[in-house]
Amino acid sequence: MSRAVSVCLLKGGIGKSTTSINLARELAHRGNDVLLIDLDPNGHTTTGLGFGEEFYSDAHLGDVLLDDAELEPTELILETDFEIDLLPANDRIEQVESDLGGVMMGSARLKQRVVDPLLGDEYDYVVVDCPAARGKLNDNALYATQNLVLPMRPESGALSGLEKTVKRLIQPAREHFDLEILAVVPTDLRDRIDHERPTRRLIEALVSKPNIASKIPNFGYVDPSFFEAIDDGSWDDDLPKPGIRHRSAIDASIREHMPLRDYDTSCDQLECYDELAQIVETGEVDR
Amino acid sequence: MSDDPFGDLDAAMGDSGPSTPDSEADATQEQTTETDELPETEQEVSERSPLEDPAFEFDETVHKALYVLEAVAAEFDDIITYDVERELTRDHGLKNVKKSELHNAALAVIAEHPDLIVDRVLEQRGIDDE
């Protein structure tokens, strides 16, 4: 089984790159051949894996996607030390975005020229790290992968970012093709869940909407009745700690330009990324 | 948004006849992004070298007074100078990094996390809502 997936949300700074890198890494650790594609003009995934220099290289994705294409995607792909291959972002990728707006079937180029030729042949899984802004790069990612993982940090604007993503990206896309949401991933959580804080507000909001709740991995899910029990004082068990929790090892792994597994194999949050990898493998949350 | 970003896919799906390239209107409408970055003119983008030149000119910035405790100001300056600037120059090969770029990025990051500011103000007052 092979599958492509976009890690996407129309909001910056919510952990798309960290999620992309560690999802790709765990898929590889589970024995799959994995390609990670960085479409984000800020290049956090590319620089975050130690390819700061390549971010400024002359050859880039535009040479594959645009009409005067001179390159095969395999000529751009880099091998990492972490069992995954990377198609890097580039500081000129924003220009590629505007150029794609003016070519025929500009939204289909990534699918036609990169994902379809490589997926199932060279790679079992393709993970795409998307830009935070709406545009042709995001459109290409959605059409090429037709599967989404939506990371959510507990901060003001997270839920409106989700709403914006649904209205501006997902709904328009579904007019044209089947776009599957594989997982909504609460990430970088640090508060206790029994206090009126961003963590509770996020988790409670997500699990109280049945369509979203079914997409939340087990590591992020809390039964809605828990919140009633907490509020009326009848909860007498340990507090759940949903979501990918904030860990200094995750921050440090980014600083050290490597996935979490390669920085600290003992970090307890690896099992969350492993479940996320399983969800991508099977195509759904297994509650 | 009234435009259909995926309008160009019909041809790819094979459910319409020969397609024409996107209209110019569509191409220009696609340029609206929701990033918080400062708008740049096209001329600046084409002439600027990201490694060599600051992200924006000094005369585009405003001078804004901030009142902070000395220890916090000192720590901020240390972080900006020793950690951030060093990483930019050492790991990312940037040259000519300006204070205004660092300050702008720092405030932009803070602006994305109002909840953390709320927490810290409460903490400063000794109010423990944990």
Side-chain angles (χ1 to χ4, degrees), chain B residues 3 45 69 84 91:
Chain B
D3 63 319
V45 173
L69 295 177
V84 177
D91 298 347

Side-chain angles (χ1 to χ4, degrees), chain A residues 10-23:
Chain A
L10 291 179
K11 183 174 185 344
I14 45 89
K16 282 191 287 283
S17 296
T18 307
T19 306
S20 304
I21 289 171
N22 288 304
L23 167 59

Side-chain angles (χ1 to χ4, degrees), chain A residues 47 56 91 98 101 104-108 133-134 136 139 143 153-156 164 168 173 176-177 191 195 197, chain B residues 1 3-6 8-13 19 22 27 30-34 50 92 113-115 119 129-130:
Chain A
T47 53
Y56 296 101
D91 70 325
S98 55
M104 204 186 290
M105 295 193 304
S107 300
R134 217 207 88 186
K136 278 289 165 226
D139 299 345
Y143 186 53
R153 278 186 82 234
E155 57 188 40
S156 39
K164 193 159 77 168
R168 293 188 168 186
H176 296 274
F177 56 91
D191 300 327
H195 295 142
R197 314 245 322 144
Chain B
M1 301 290 282
D3 63 319
D4 178 359
F6 293 94
D8 61 353
L9 287 181
D10 282 341
M13 311 292 224
S19 82
D22 287 349
E30 285 301 329
Q31 298 316 304
T32 56
T33 62
E34 283 99 26
H92 300 279
H113 298 283
D115 52 319
D119 291 352
D129 71 337
E130 282 292 2

Side-chain angles (χ1 to χ4, degrees), chain B residues 54-70:
Chain B
F56 44 81
E57 298 296 333
F58 180 72
D59 60 13
E60 294 178 60
T61 61
V62 291
H63 180 244
K64 192 167 166 52
L66 294 170
Y67 294 93
V68 295
L69 295 177
E70 193 171 343

